[in-house]
Amino acid sequence: NATTQNSHAEITSVFGGSTPTPPTVTITAPVEGAPVNPGFPVRADVVDDTAVTKVALYIDNQLVDEITGTPWVFNAPDDLGDGVHLVEVRGYDLVGTMGKSSVEVVIGAPCERPSDCAEQGETFTCVGGRCVQGPGAPGGLGEPCTMDPECSSGQCASDGIDMVCVEVCDLGGAECP
């Protein structure tokens, strides 16, 4: 029956075949490892073989925003603390199939050693290529805390006994103080 075949072709053209392909997501800004400021823009190209129905921005695995139309542009929150942040953009097609892409960015001034941070103040130190509040500063690295918002980095961690403000760093590298 020609009507049935045309209906099937039309449905397939809209919804795709039985094995949906996820959208292709490319973050065009910022680039991997970029130094950024809080509130930085995030731009993405999101393409699908049928249609993109929504695109979501996640930072550090937390949903920040969702949009349903182009351009696929977001602004990161203004209250992100210094440190390394995972920026992820997820695109969804008509049947909910997800494609994603991610980059890490750094908030804070670039540095190579603690002395590079001296002009920002005597309590600043260098962690992972950025100047961060160190010991002696409220919310600084190693300062006592009870929850994440108390820390400049937004990260309060426990060693099983004490809770202190921490920063993300590569334990295998030379970036940890």
Side-chain angles (χ1 to χ4, degrees):
N1 175 333
T3 305
T4 304
Q5 287 176 346
N6 288 341
S7 296
H8 180 266
E10 186 175 335
I11 290 170
T12 301
S13 74
V14 172
F15 294 106
S18 63
T19 307
T21 57
T24 301
V25 179
T26 305
I27 297 174
T28 59
V31 298
E32 178 69 29
V36 296
N37 293 315
F40 60 92
V42 177
R43 293 178 183 85
D45 288 333
V46 184
V47 181
D48 189 63
D49 59 349
T50 56
V52 176
T53 58
K54 75 176 175 180
V55 174
L57 172 65
Y58 285 77
I59 297 183
D60 299 328
N61 297 312
Q62 299 294 315
L63 177 63
V64 173
D65 196 7
E66 290 181 341
I67 53 179
T68 57
T70 60
W72 309 117
V73 179
F74 302 91
N75 284 320
D78 289 331
D79 60 354
L80 285 177
D82 284 354
V84 176
H85 296 279
L86 177 66
V87 176
E88 184 174 87
V89 176
R90 300 177 185 177
Y92 299 86
D93 67 11
L94 287 169
V95 294
T97 307
M98 178 189 64
K100 63 184 178 177
S101 179
S102 63
V103 296
E104 286 189 338
V105 297
V106 179
I107 295 179
C111 59
E112 291 182 16
R113 57 190 134 320
S115 60
D116 294 343
C117 302
E119 67 185 43
Q120 293 190 34
E122 61 184 50
T123 61
F124 281 80
T125 190
C126 183
V127 176
R130 68 206 183 282
C131 294
V132 301
Q133 285 283 359
L141 182 63
E143 290 297 302
C145 58
T146 57
M147 53 188 164
D148 292 343
E150 296 174 8
C151 301
S152 298
S153 66
Q155 299 177 33
C156 180
S158 173
D159 63 4
I161 300 170
D162 297 314
M163 292 188 70
V164 296
C165 295
V166 298
E167 292 284 343
V168 174
C169 65
D170 180 4
L171 293 174
E175 66 182 42
C176 291

